[in-house]
Amino acid sequence: MASQDADATRTDQLQFQNPKTRYPSIEPPEQTQPEPGLDAEMLPQADIGEFSYRGTGRLVDRKALVSGGDSGIGAAVAVAFAREGADVAITYLPQEEEDAQNVARIIRDSGRQAVTLPGDLTDASFCREVVEQAVEQLGGLDILVNNAGKQVVAESLEELPDEQVEQTYQANILAMFRTTRAALPHLPAGATIINSTSIQAYQPSPDLIDYASTKAAINAFTKGMAMQLADKGIRVNAVAPGPIWTPLQPSKGQPIEELPEFGKDTALGRAGQPTELAPAYVFLASPESSYVLGSTIHVNGGKPSP
Ligand code: NAD
Ligand code: MG
């Protein structure tokens, strides 16, 4: 097994440091990519933790499935889980193979098994298939991270076609119902489910109403499922990121001209980096959060949310 410590730099997440200056306040140049966007093409590059997340053995021998684990927050979660000792399966769209292979490499370099599962989660049968494949190849499943998501700006309701609304709902919330349903028969007591919601559930941007409303739905789904599964010993929680520099943003997730200002409206005055989300997911996946269910951890640089 590769040394986890050797992979981390002096400024890993456990280093005492000023959160304001841990990362620079980036001003991404105006840029665009076709949806879903690639980490490999981002300017500047985002930090998914390859050289900045140090594991401390909190998820040894756990088996995790992370949807959208090829890039951004999901990639950072997959990397952190592997550094904490878990084997990890990631799902992604077929056009994201390059990013997915990079994350798989980091997982393997961390001494853990990586499973890559390309496909479209708006297809109900793929939601079932990813769970079956993850269970088969990992030899079980005890962490499910429903993280894949679609965000495309539309200035007004008149410019938001039903087709986009339906696709956003399919990818963000219907896939969550389907994947979770498929996973349930495999999850033992002690297993955890973590859903990626958003600050948009609380402070919807006027040009993201389809996306924001799926995130509010995810919040209610998370709390209701937590109550439904508590008796089985399965905990369900959510993480609500604020503005994080990921491929979602420069692939129509924000108006292009607003990218240079992205994240500057937070109390810390900067966008978050994907790896800054990872410790929240690790905490919720680990048994140390045994009394935490139906909760949301807000990781947003200081945009107070309920
Ligand atoms: P990202 O683009 O890196 O990750 C999203 C992933 O979703 C993609 O990599 C893709 O693999 C997957 N995906 C999208 N549509 C899919 C489909 N139809 N089928 C299968 N997979 C699909 O961006 P990210 O910002 O890391 O997003 C991860 C999650 O975090 C999303 O749920 C997003 O809504 C949420 N989030 C992000 C931010 C932010 O500022 N970046 C803020 C709040 C919430
Ligand atoms: Mg991606």
Side-chain angles (χ1 to χ4, degrees), residues 36-37 70-71 96 99 247:
D70 57 297
S71 61
E96 298 174 303
D99 280 353

Side-chain angles (χ1 to χ4, degrees), residues 70-71 73 96 120-121 147 149 197-198 211 215 242 244 246 249:
D70 57 297
S71 61
I73 295 164
E96 298 174 303
D120 190 336
L121 288 166
N147 166 76
T197 179
S198 171
Y211 174 84
K215 294 298 173 178
I244 313 302
T246 71
Q249 307 298 353

Side-chain angles (χ1 to χ4, degrees), residues 35-37 39 67-75 91-93 96 99 119-123 126 146-151 167 170-172 176 196-200 211 215 218 239-249 251 254 262 274 281:
E35 250 192 286
D39 254 344
S67 71
D70 57 297
S71 61
I73 295 164
T91 82
Y92 52 97
L93 288 162
E96 298 174 303
D99 280 353
D120 190 336
L121 288 166
T122 65
D123 173 356
F126 182 67
N146 288 308
N147 166 76
K150 175 184 170 74
Q151 170 184 324
Q167 283 174 1
Q170 285 279 350
N172 294 11
M176 210 173 268
S196 292
T197 179
S198 171
I199 190 159
Q200 288 289 325
Y211 174 84
K215 294 298 173 178
I218 289 167
V239 176
I244 313 302
W245 183 234
T246 71
L248 195 83
Q249 307 298 353
S251 59
Q254 297 290 329
F262 182 68
Y281 289 80

Side-chain angles (χ1 to χ4, degrees), residues 53-122:
Y53 189 93
R54 176 154 58 100
T56 56
R58 293 160 83 194
L59 300 174
V60 172
D61 292 336
R62 301 287 300 273
K63 300 169 192 313
L65 172 61
V66 182
S67 71
D70 57 297
S71 61
I73 295 164
V77 169
V79 168
F81 281 5
R83 293 276 164 84
E84 297 289 357
D87 294 327
V88 189
I90 60 172
T91 82
Y92 52 97
L93 288 162
Q95 56 270 43
E96 298 174 303
E97 191 66 38
E98 179 184 357
D99 280 353
Q101 288 305 328
N102 184 47
V103 172
R105 173 190 61 77
I106 301 171
I107 293 169
R108 292 182 187 120
D109 286 352
S110 305
R112 304 305 311 192
Q113 185 188 353
V115 175
T116 51
L117 301 169
D120 190 336
L121 288 166
T122 65

